[in-house]
Structures are given as C-alpha cells and as structure tokens.
Amino acid sequence: MRVVVTGGAGFIGANLVAALLERPEIAEVRVVDDFSSGSKANLAGCDVTLHDGSILDPELLDAAFAGADAVVHLAALPSVPRSVANPLASHQVNATGTLQVLEAARRAGGLYVTAASSSSVYGANRELPKRETMRAEPLSPYAVSKLATESYLTAYHHCYGLDVLPLRLFNVFGPLQPAGHAYAAVVPSFVAAALAGRPLTVHGDGGQSRDFTYVGTVVRVFCEAVLRRVVHPAPVNVALGTRTTLLALVEELGAVLGHPLEVTHTEPRAGDVRDSVADDSRLRGLFPDLAAVPLRVGLERTVEWFRTQPAA
Ligand SMILES: NC(=O)c1ccc[n+]([C@@H]2O[C@H](COP(=O)([O-])OP(=O)(O)OC[C@H]3O[C@@H](n4cnc5c(N)ncnc54)[C@H](O)[C@@H]3O)[C@@H](O)[C@H]2O)c1
C-alpha cells in the first residue's frame, strides 16, 4: 500500500509517518509539505518520498498521488489566533488547499482520503458533550476553514463517490509539537515553561476545558483508517470524552514533574471556545479496538521528549 501524507513534516504528520513506516502493509510513504511550519528534522531517519511544495500546486499533487492508495490530508495553517491575524491565508491553505487535494484525488481515481478537521467547528454551541450531529457554530476563521475541509470531504463522497473519512481532532499534544512560537499550543507552552522554571501563562481564569488527546492515539486512528479503509462521509470526533480544565492540566503536569507549578493569568483570547469535550461513540463504533493513551502517560512522554530538546 502507498500512502501520501500532506503536512507529513508537521507535528501530527511526522508522528504518523513514523508509525506508518512500521507497518508491514505499507510499501511507501510519500510526504507533501512546504515546510512552512513543519521541518525536515521531524522526518530524520524516516524513509519517505518527499514532494517539497504546496498543496495549492495541482501538478505537485498529481505527481504525489500517482499510483497511491490513500491520502491522509493534514497540511494546514493551524491555530485560531493565526487565523484571526490573517484569515485569508488560513482560508487559502485550509479550505482551497483541501479542495485542491480532493480534485487531485478525483483525477488520480480510486484514492481513499481522510483529513483532519477540528473541534473548533463546534464554536459557540455550548452543548456538552460535543456530538457530531450538533450544529456547527464556528467562532474563528480557522474554525470556518476546518468546517470547509470536512464539508468538502462529505460533498466529494456524495458527488463523486470518493471514499472519505473526515476526522474532528480535539487538542492533540505530544512529542514533536513545538513551543516557543507565537501560535504554540497550550501543552507544549506549559511543558516548555515548566521545564525552564517560568510561570505558566493561562489566558483567562483557567476554568476553560479541553479534551486533550495524545498524538499516539490520533496516529493509531489514522493508521487503522488507512489500513482498513474506514469510510464515514460525516465527521467523526477523535478524542476520548475527557474534560480537563487548564488549571487541572497545570496540576497534572505538576504531578508528572513532581512539584507544583506557578501560573500567570492574562486576558482571554478572541475566538477561543470555553469548553470542549467529545462524545466518542461514533469513534468507538468505527474503531472498537482503539487503545487510547491516558493524559498522564501522554504528558510523561511529552515531558520526556522535551527534555531531549534544546530549551525553548
Ligand atoms: N494539533 C492539534 O491539536 C490539532 C487539532 C485539531 C486539528 N488539527 C489539524 O491537524 C493537522 C495537523 O496539525 P499539526 O498540529 O500537526 O500542525 P503542524 O503545523 O505541525 O502541521 C501542518 C503541516 O502542514 C504543512 N503545510 C502548511 N501549509 C502547507 C501547504 N500550503 N502545502 C503543504 N504543506 C503545508 C506545514 O509545513 C506542516 O508540516 C492540521 O490540519 C490541523 O488543522 C490539529
């Protein structure tokens, strides 16, 4: 089996590439990445075919998709604040880019396409837990672009018979996720600050909750989806149904590190949602054998990885 991973040099992508290469069923992994946020270092030691360039380039996609069986589409400009600062760029890569990927898949024929959407699509809808059948009420340009991503997969299934699986990822964390840049996610920011002995910056009161998902769990879902060609035209939550406030995350991290951590509170961020916890019944139905990694274990592995990195 030949698998293309767009955004394969990024955080989730590079973890996925490493996992795919361990599977005997996978003959070749191809990575399409423009290295805007990903890096070649993330793929060190991985035997991949590299297609260096943008998903907005149809010719590059045609070359990468020729003779492939499946595409895992992860390339995107992630981050809510980045999209608030530059909505057009997020739309271009996340929405138009997905359309280019789907068009290339249609041209190639017979391809299976799974893609990463985001829990941010639930936005202003306060109902908990988040069920996929709830109305999406995106609050940021990023969330709108991710709603477009998953909706295009659904539309291509209905209009062109493409085998698809749109996955709504919740807050993913783990090794290879960078800290120390303006749009860094909360777990790496906390871990880097804690290891450097700095106070942890919490936006707002810290009572906002997230369904933190270890990257190894997400990677297992993508691997399994590709190998079994799991098709579901409507979006599927990928999270464990666990609700952790940021203050509880700080405490858990303190427990992993063996000492309490200091916190500084700042203003809440525009476009952020208050609470996010998944209903995981659709995921469990499609992946009944999924062995998920608990938060504590995931944090331990993340800290372990950070300790091998130069201080951020
Ligand atoms: N990390 C999370 O918590 C999370 C949550 C929900 C959804 N997602 C989604 O998962 C996917 C992967 O996210 P990540 O956290 O690994 O982010 P990341 O920034 O580490 O990875 C994105 C990758 O896409 C590449 N890329 C960006 N624009 C590109 C373009 N035009 N052409 C080719 N490659 C391009 C980047 O260089 C990078 O390697 C994204 O689609 C993101 O929206 C992530």
Side-chain angles (χ1 to χ4, degrees), residues 7-13 32-39 53-56 73-78 93 116-119 142 146 169-173 177:
F11 154 52
I12 298 173
V32 176
D33 206 298
D34 70 353
F35 299 99
S36 48
S37 62
S39 73
S54 175
I55 52 166
L56 294 166
H73 173 44
L74 302 175
L77 295 186
V93 176
S117 177
S118 156
S119 60
Y142 172 71
K146 285 284 138 177
L169 311 188
F170 283 56
N171 288 64
V172 188
F173 71 97
Q177 190 175 32

Short mmCIF file of all heavy atoms in Angstrom, two decimals, residues 7-13 32-39 53-56 73-78 93 116-119 142 146 169-173 177, ligand 1:
data_model
loop_
_atom_site.label_atom_id
_atom_site.label_comp_id
_atom_site.label_asym_id
_atom_site.label_seq_id
_atom_site.Cartn_x
_atom_site.Cartn_y
_atom_site.Cartn_z
N GLY A 7 1.30 17.52 4.77
CA GLY A 7 1.66 18.05 6.10
C GLY A 7 2.42 17.02 6.91
O GLY A 7 2.45 17.07 8.14
N GLY A 8 3.08 16.10 6.19
CA GLY A 8 3.76 14.98 6.86
C GLY A 8 5.02 15.38 7.63
O GLY A 8 5.56 14.58 8.38
N ALA A 9 5.47 16.63 7.45
CA ALA A 9 6.65 17.08 8.20
C ALA A 9 6.25 17.85 9.46
O ALA A 9 7.11 18.34 10.18
CB ALA A 9 7.53 17.96 7.32
N GLY A 10 4.95 17.95 9.69
CA GLY A 10 4.46 18.67 10.87
C GLY A 10 4.39 17.77 12.09
O GLY A 10 4.83 16.61 12.06
N PHE A 11 3.82 18.30 13.15
CA PHE A 11 3.74 17.59 14.43
C PHE A 11 2.99 16.26 14.30
O PHE A 11 3.56 15.17 14.50
CB PHE A 11 3.10 18.54 15.46
CG PHE A 11 2.40 17.88 16.60
CD1 PHE A 11 3.05 16.91 17.38
CD2 PHE A 11 1.09 18.23 16.92
CE1 PHE A 11 2.39 16.29 18.45
CE2 PHE A 11 0.44 17.63 17.98
CZ PHE A 11 1.08 16.66 18.74
N ILE A 12 1.73 16.31 13.93
CA ILE A 12 0.94 15.07 13.83
C ILE A 12 1.45 14.25 12.64
O ILE A 12 1.62 13.03 12.73
CB ILE A 12 -0.57 15.37 13.68
CG1 ILE A 12 -1.08 16.12 14.92
CG2 ILE A 12 -1.37 14.08 13.47
CD1 ILE A 12 -2.51 16.62 14.82
N GLY A 13 1.74 14.93 11.53
CA GLY A 13 2.17 14.25 10.31
C GLY A 13 3.42 13.40 10.52
O GLY A 13 3.46 12.24 10.10
N VAL A 32 3.90 15.28 1.29
CA VAL A 32 3.76 16.57 0.60
C VAL A 32 3.80 17.64 1.68
O VAL A 32 2.94 17.66 2.57
CB VAL A 32 2.41 16.68 -0.16
CG1 VAL A 32 2.26 18.06 -0.78
CG2 VAL A 32 2.29 15.59 -1.21
N ASP A 33 4.80 18.52 1.63
CA ASP A 33 4.91 19.55 2.66
C ASP A 33 5.69 20.73 2.11
O ASP A 33 6.66 20.55 1.37
CB ASP A 33 5.60 18.98 3.92
CG ASP A 33 5.20 19.72 5.17
OD1 ASP A 33 5.48 20.94 5.25
OD2 ASP A 33 4.60 19.10 6.06
N ASP A 34 5.27 21.93 2.49
CA ASP A 34 6.03 23.12 2.05
C ASP A 34 6.93 23.64 3.17
O ASP A 34 7.54 24.70 3.03
CB ASP A 34 5.09 24.23 1.55
CG ASP A 34 4.28 24.85 2.68
OD1 ASP A 34 4.34 24.35 3.83
OD2 ASP A 34 3.58 25.86 2.42
N PHE A 35 6.98 22.93 4.27
CA PHE A 35 7.86 23.26 5.40
C PHE A 35 7.61 24.65 5.97
O PHE A 35 8.51 25.29 6.47
CB PHE A 35 9.33 23.05 5.02
CG PHE A 35 9.61 21.62 4.64
CD1 PHE A 35 9.67 21.24 3.31
CD2 PHE A 35 9.74 20.65 5.62
CE1 PHE A 35 9.87 19.90 2.96
CE2 PHE A 35 9.94 19.33 5.27
CZ PHE A 35 10.01 18.95 3.94
N SER A 36 6.35 25.10 5.87
CA SER A 36 6.05 26.42 6.44
C SER A 36 6.04 26.35 7.96
O SER A 36 6.50 27.27 8.63
CB SER A 36 4.72 26.96 5.91
OG SER A 36 3.71 25.98 5.99
N SER A 37 5.50 25.26 8.52
CA SER A 37 5.63 25.10 9.99
C SER A 37 6.29 23.76 10.33
O SER A 37 6.83 23.59 11.41
CB SER A 37 4.26 25.21 10.69
OG SER A 37 3.40 24.19 10.24
N GLY A 38 6.28 22.81 9.39
CA GLY A 38 6.94 21.53 9.62
C GLY A 38 8.43 21.64 9.34
O GLY A 38 8.90 22.68 8.86
N SER A 39 9.17 20.57 9.63
CA SER A 39 10.62 20.64 9.39
C SER A 39 11.16 19.29 8.93
O SER A 39 10.59 18.24 9.26
CB SER A 39 11.35 21.07 10.66
OG SER A 39 11.35 20.00 11.57
N GLY A 53 6.71 21.12 -1.54
CA GLY A 53 5.92 22.18 -2.18
C GLY A 53 4.55 22.26 -1.56
O GLY A 53 4.26 21.59 -0.57
N SER A 54 3.70 23.08 -2.19
CA SER A 54 2.41 23.40 -1.58
C SER A 54 1.27 22.53 -2.11
O SER A 54 1.25 22.18 -3.29
CB SER A 54 2.07 24.87 -1.85
OG SER A 54 0.78 25.15 -1.38
N ILE A 55 0.30 22.27 -1.25
CA ILE A 55 -0.92 21.57 -1.68
C ILE A 55 -1.73 22.44 -2.63
O ILE A 55 -2.70 21.98 -3.23
CB ILE A 55 -1.81 21.16 -0.48
CG1 ILE A 55 -2.10 22.35 0.44
CG2 ILE A 55 -1.19 20.01 0.28
CD1 ILE A 55 -3.22 22.10 1.44
N LEU A 56 -1.33 23.71 -2.78
CA LEU A 56 -2.04 24.58 -3.72
C LEU A 56 -1.50 24.40 -5.14
O LEU A 56 -1.98 25.05 -6.06
CB LEU A 56 -1.90 26.04 -3.27
CG LEU A 56 -2.62 26.33 -1.94
CD1 LEU A 56 -2.19 27.67 -1.36
CD2 LEU A 56 -4.13 26.28 -2.10
N HIS A 73 -4.75 13.77 4.74
CA HIS A 73 -4.58 15.20 4.48
C HIS A 73 -4.52 15.98 5.79
O HIS A 73 -5.53 16.21 6.44
CB HIS A 73 -5.74 15.68 3.59
CG HIS A 73 -5.76 17.15 3.38
ND1 HIS A 73 -4.62 17.88 3.10
CD2 HIS A 73 -6.78 18.06 3.42
CE1 HIS A 73 -4.95 19.16 2.97
NE2 HIS A 73 -6.24 19.29 3.17
N LEU A 74 -3.28 16.39 6.13
CA LEU A 74 -3.06 17.12 7.38
C LEU A 74 -2.52 18.53 7.13
O LEU A 74 -2.52 19.35 8.05
CB LEU A 74 -2.03 16.37 8.26
CG LEU A 74 -2.37 14.93 8.65
CD1 LEU A 74 -1.20 14.30 9.39
CD2 LEU A 74 -3.62 14.89 9.52
N ALA A 75 -2.05 18.80 5.91
CA ALA A 75 -1.44 20.11 5.65
C ALA A 75 -2.46 21.21 5.90
O ALA A 75 -3.59 21.15 5.41
CB ALA A 75 -0.94 20.18 4.21
N ALA A 76 -2.06 22.20 6.67
CA ALA A 76 -2.96 23.31 7.00
C ALA A 76 -2.17 24.37 7.73
O ALA A 76 -1.04 24.13 8.17
CB ALA A 76 -4.09 22.80 7.91
N LEU A 77 -2.78 25.56 7.83
CA LEU A 77 -2.25 26.55 8.76
C LEU A 77 -3.07 26.39 10.03
O LEU A 77 -4.21 26.82 10.09
CB LEU A 77 -2.41 27.97 8.21
CG LEU A 77 -1.62 28.31 6.96
CD1 LEU A 77 -1.78 29.79 6.61
CD2 LEU A 77 -0.13 27.98 7.14
N PRO A 78 -2.52 25.70 11.04
CA PRO A 78 -3.31 25.50 12.25
C PRO A 78 -3.31 26.78 13.10
O PRO A 78 -2.65 27.74 12.74
CB PRO A 78 -2.58 24.37 12.97
CG PRO A 78 -1.28 24.18 12.30
CD PRO A 78 -1.18 25.12 11.14
N VAL A 93 -5.09 28.09 2.44
CA VAL A 93 -4.44 26.78 2.63
C VAL A 93 -5.46 25.73 3.10
O VAL A 93 -5.49 24.61 2.59
CB VAL A 93 -3.27 26.89 3.65
CG1 VAL A 93 -2.66 25.52 3.91
CG2 VAL A 93 -2.21 27.84 3.12
N ALA A 116 -7.88 15.94 8.51
CA ALA A 116 -8.02 16.47 9.86
C ALA A 116 -8.89 17.72 9.85
O ALA A 116 -8.52 18.75 9.28
CB ALA A 116 -6.65 16.80 10.44
N SER A 117 -10.05 17.62 10.49
CA SER A 117 -10.83 18.81 10.82
C SER A 117 -10.56 19.09 12.29
O SER A 117 -9.61 18.55 12.88
CB SER A 117 -12.31 18.57 10.54
OG SER A 117 -13.06 19.71 10.94
N SER A 118 -11.37 19.94 12.89
CA SER A 118 -11.05 20.38 14.25
C SER A 118 -12.31 20.57 15.09
O SER A 118 -13.36 20.97 14.58
CB SER A 118 -10.29 21.70 14.16
OG SER A 118 -10.43 22.44 15.33
N SER A 119 -12.16 20.32 16.38
CA SER A 119 -13.28 20.51 17.33
C SER A 119 -13.70 21.98 17.39
O SER A 119 -14.77 22.29 17.89
CB SER A 119 -12.85 20.06 18.72
OG SER A 119 -11.73 20.81 19.14
N TYR A 142 -10.27 30.20 11.43
CA TYR A 142 -9.71 28.83 11.41
C TYR A 142 -10.82 27.80 11.45
O TYR A 142 -10.84 26.84 10.67
CB TYR A 142 -8.76 28.65 12.60
CG TYR A 142 -8.28 27.21 12.78
CD1 TYR A 142 -7.38 26.64 11.89
CD2 TYR A 142 -8.76 26.42 13.83
CE1 TYR A 142 -6.95 25.33 12.04
CE2 TYR A 142 -8.33 25.11 13.99
CZ TYR A 142 -7.43 24.57 13.09
OH TYR A 142 -7.01 23.27 13.24
N LYS A 146 -11.90 24.91 8.73
CA LYS A 146 -11.91 23.46 9.04
C LYS A 146 -13.29 22.87 8.76
O LYS A 146 -13.41 21.70 8.38
CB LYS A 146 -11.49 23.25 10.49
CG LYS A 146 -10.01 23.42 10.70
CD LYS A 146 -9.25 22.21 10.17
CE LYS A 146 -8.02 22.51 9.43
NZ LYS A 146 -7.28 21.32 8.99
N LEU A 169 -10.36 16.48 15.07
CA LEU A 169 -9.39 16.31 16.15
C LEU A 169 -9.65 17.34 17.24
O LEU A 169 -10.03 18.47 16.95
CB LEU A 169 -7.96 16.47 15.63
CG LEU A 169 -7.58 15.69 14.35
CD1 LEU A 169 -6.09 15.82 14.10
CD2 LEU A 169 -7.96 14.23 14.46
N PHE A 170 -9.46 16.92 18.48
CA PHE A 170 -9.56 17.86 19.60
C PHE A 170 -8.13 18.31 19.94
O PHE A 170 -7.26 18.24 19.09
CB PHE A 170 -10.32 17.20 20.76
CG PHE A 170 -11.82 17.16 20.51
CD1 PHE A 170 -12.35 16.55 19.37
CD2 PHE A 170 -12.70 17.77 21.39
CE1 PHE A 170 -13.72 16.54 19.12
CE2 PHE A 170 -14.08 17.76 21.15
CZ PHE A 170 -14.59 17.15 20.02
N ASN A 171 -7.83 18.75 21.14
CA ASN A 171 -6.48 19.28 21.40
C ASN A 171 -5.45 18.17 21.45
O ASN A 171 -5.36 17.45 22.44
CB ASN A 171 -6.47 20.06 22.71
CG ASN A 171 -7.20 21.37 22.57
OD1 ASN A 171 -8.40 21.38 22.31
ND2 ASN A 171 -6.48 22.46 22.69
N VAL A 172 -4.69 18.06 20.38
CA VAL A 172 -3.70 16.99 20.28
C VAL A 172 -2.37 17.50 20.86
O VAL A 172 -2.01 18.66 20.67
CB VAL A 172 -3.50 16.58 18.80
CG1 VAL A 172 -2.61 15.35 18.70
CG2 VAL A 172 -4.85 16.32 18.13
N PHE A 173 -1.67 16.63 21.58
CA PHE A 173 -0.37 17.03 22.14
C PHE A 173 0.57 15.84 22.11
O PHE A 173 0.14 14.69 21.97
CB PHE A 173 -0.54 17.53 23.59
CG PHE A 173 -0.87 16.43 24.57
CD1 PHE A 173 0.14 15.83 25.33
CD2 PHE A 173 -2.16 15.97 24.71
CE1 PHE A 173 -0.14 14.80 26.21
CE2 PHE A 173 -2.46 14.94 25.58
CZ PHE A 173 -1.46 14.35 26.34
N GLN A 177 5.72 18.46 18.98
CA GLN A 177 4.87 19.67 18.94
C GLN A 177 5.69 20.83 19.52
O GLN A 177 6.05 20.80 20.70
CB GLN A 177 3.59 19.46 19.75
CG GLN A 177 2.58 20.57 19.56
CD GLN A 177 1.27 20.27 20.27
OE1 GLN A 177 1.26 19.61 21.31
NE2 GLN A 177 0.16 20.74 19.73
N1 LIG B 1 -2.61 19.86 16.84
C1 LIG B 1 -3.89 19.91 17.16
O1 LIG B 1 -4.25 19.97 18.34
C2 LIG B 1 -4.94 19.86 16.10
C3 LIG B 1 -6.29 19.91 16.49
C4 LIG B 1 -7.27 19.88 15.51
C5 LIG B 1 -6.92 19.77 14.18
N2 LIG B 1 -5.62 19.74 13.83
C6 LIG B 1 -5.28 19.65 12.40
O2 LIG B 1 -4.33 18.60 12.23
C7 LIG B 1 -3.49 18.92 11.12
C8 LIG B 1 -2.02 18.82 11.54
O3 LIG B 1 -1.80 19.78 12.57
P1 LIG B 1 -0.42 19.89 13.35
O4 LIG B 1 -0.75 20.25 14.74
O5 LIG B 1 0.42 18.71 13.07
O6 LIG B 1 0.19 21.20 12.67
P2 LIG B 1 1.62 21.46 12.01
O7 LIG B 1 1.69 22.94 11.73
O8 LIG B 1 2.70 20.87 12.81
O9 LIG B 1 1.50 20.66 10.64
C9 LIG B 1 0.98 21.21 9.47
C10 LIG B 1 1.92 20.83 8.34
O10 LIG B 1 1.38 21.31 7.12
C11 LIG B 1 2.43 21.91 6.38
N3 LIG B 1 1.81 22.90 5.47
C12 LIG B 1 1.23 24.09 5.78
N4 LIG B 1 0.79 24.69 4.69
C13 LIG B 1 1.10 23.87 3.64
C14 LIG B 1 0.90 23.95 2.24
N5 LIG B 1 0.29 25.01 1.67
N6 LIG B 1 1.32 22.93 1.47
C15 LIG B 1 1.95 21.84 2.03
N7 LIG B 1 2.17 21.72 3.34
C16 LIG B 1 1.75 22.73 4.13
C17 LIG B 1 3.35 22.54 7.40
O11 LIG B 1 4.65 22.78 6.93
C18 LIG B 1 3.32 21.45 8.48
O12 LIG B 1 4.30 20.47 8.24
C19 LIG B 1 -3.91 20.30 10.65
O13 LIG B 1 -4.80 20.14 9.57
C20 LIG B 1 -4.64 20.90 11.83
O14 LIG B 1 -5.58 21.86 11.45
C21 LIG B 1 -4.61 19.79 14.75
#
